[in-house]
Amino acid sequence: MLNLVIKKWIEPYKLLETIKDYSSMEEFTFDGTNKTILKNHFLKQLKTEKGFGLYMKNVNKFYLFDTTCNLKDVLTKEFDLKDDDSSLIENEDEAFSLVDSGKAEAAFFMY
């Protein structure tokens, strides 16, 4: 799995609305008691469906999008994303950890 980790701050609502222009979306809202269960469900859905997932800092939701649009192109065009504003990481746990620790604003998960 490749994970696109975004370091540049992007307004979460604007990010979601922009991506929704290219794809339909399903969201999974979690709290402290069910985060692990929903995270596992989210990752399982990603493995069985086309598209990509999104996890953002300070938003208690996982998002699943059903498109295979060129995400990097969309982010570059809509948010002026530069090469040093993001990185590709293979380890999904590391991507989640970077967001949870505040070292990244968001992570996109793609199979």
Side-chain angles (χ1 to χ4, degrees):
M1 174 193 293
L2 277 180
N3 310 293
L4 177 65
V5 175
I6 307 297
K7 300 171 200 164
K8 176 182 178 177
W9 185 82
I10 298 173
E11 155 92 46
Y13 178 77
K14 185 171 180 178
L15 178 61
L16 285 175
E17 290 304 310
T18 300
I19 296 172
K20 282 170 43 177
D21 287 344
Y22 298 88
S23 173
S24 64
M25 177 188 80
E26 181 180 359
E27 64 183 53
F28 305 93
T29 304
F30 62 84
D31 58 31
T33 62
N34 66 354
K35 181 178 180 179
T36 302
I37 293 167
L38 283 177
K39 178 181 168 183
N40 291 333
H41 177 70
F42 166 74
L43 292 171
K44 184 178 178 181
Q45 292 291 105
L46 276 173
K47 292 175 186 175
T48 60
E49 299 178 15
K50 291 182 179 176
F52 57 88
L54 170 63
Y55 177 57
M56 294 186 287
K57 182 172 82 173
N58 299 327
V59 179
N60 291 344
K61 296 180 181 185
F62 301 111
Y63 300 93
L64 186 62
F65 297 90
D66 70 355
T67 185
T68 55
C69 72
N70 189 324
L71 183 60
K72 184 82 169 182
D73 285 349
V74 170
L75 294 173
T76 300
K77 175 182 153 194
E78 299 290 337
F79 299 103
D80 194 31
L81 196 69
K82 308 282 189 239
D83 286 340
D84 60 343
D85 293 333
S86 66
S87 58
L88 287 173
I89 297 175
E90 289 190 34
N91 185 311
E92 68 192 31
D93 290 330
E94 182 181 355
F96 279 110
S97 179
L98 288 169
V99 173
D100 286 338
S101 68
K103 294 178 182 173
E105 296 295 322
F108 289 92
F109 302 88
M110 300 162 279
Y111 274 94

